[in-house]
């Protein structure tokens, strides 16, 4: 496992998160928390994947860490949604999503063996997008539940 590569990916994810925060019109006081959330999430995902944990499980754990870091860094009682959204987006399966879109275009015009290959690729990429999105959603929910337990709030109060 190359820790330097994981660290560089984390820094890049932090900069991407901060850029997304600017695009999503985050207040300037949230740009550092957004950077640190993206950085921490990507580093945790990279380390856990390097230790042999599956990609979806590592993504779920990283999304949980993003929530915990956002709750620890922000001073307000609630976690800023822009910190969560911008911090979690670098964990998404965007490459698989673009590949699925390309496969969908190929399926519409292919025939024979090319159609079969494009269909299999479309299903595989769609499954990867679905499982990664589900892992992020479950990680965010788990992180928010942990934050509520730490703060002494009822976990199921707003469900």
């Amino acid at each position: 496992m190359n820790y330097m590569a994981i660290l560089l990916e984390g820094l890049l994810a932090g900069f991407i998160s901060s850029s997304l925060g600017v695009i999503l019109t985050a207040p300037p006081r949230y740009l550092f928390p957004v950077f640190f959330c993206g950085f921490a999430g990507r580093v945790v995902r990279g380390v856990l994947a390097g230790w042999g944990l599956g990609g979806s499980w590592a993504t779920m754990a990283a999304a949980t860490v993003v929530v915990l870091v956002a709750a620890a860094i922000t001073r307000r009682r609630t976690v800023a949604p822009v910190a969560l959204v911008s911090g979690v987006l670098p964990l998404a399966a965007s490459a698989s999503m673009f590949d699925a879109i390309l496969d969908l275009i190929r399926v519409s015009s292919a025939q024979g063996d090319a159609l079969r290959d494009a269909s299999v690729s479309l299903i595989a990429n769609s499954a990867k997008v679905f499982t990664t999105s589900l892992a992020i959603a479950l990680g965010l929910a788990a992180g928010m539940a942990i934050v509520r337990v730490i703060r002494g709030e009822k976990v199921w109060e707003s469900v």
Side-chain angles (χ1 to χ4, degrees), residues 44-58:
V44 166
R45 182 178 182 268
V47 168
L48 291 177
W51 286 345
L53 194 63
S56 296
W57 290 105

Side-chain angles (χ1 to χ4, degrees), residues 17-123:
S17 294
S18 295
S19 301
L20 288 169
V22 170
I23 291 170
L24 297 173
T25 64
R29 68 179 182 271
Y30 285 126
L31 292 182
F32 176 72
V34 165
F35 172 85
F36 199 67
C37 287
F39 172 78
R42 192 62 185 195
V43 167
V44 166
R45 182 178 182 268
V47 168
L48 291 177
W51 286 345
L53 194 63
S56 296
W57 290 105
T59 301
M60 187 175 94
T64 303
V65 167
V66 167
V67 173
L68 297 176
V69 167
I73 290 179
T74 55
R75 294 184 180 151
R76 293 183 15 206
R77 181 96 172 123
T78 60
V79 178
V82 70
L84 292 179
V85 171
S86 298
V88 163
L89 280 177
L91 299 174
S94 57
S96 296
M97 182 174 50
F98 288 122
D99 288 342
I101 291 169
L102 289 174
D103 290 335
L104 186 61
I105 293 169
R106 287 184 192 124
V107 163
S108 66
S109 62
Q111 294 178 355
D113 287 339
L115 176 62
R116 179 182 47 86
D117 294 340
S119 299
V120 169
S121 181
L122 174 65
I123 292 169

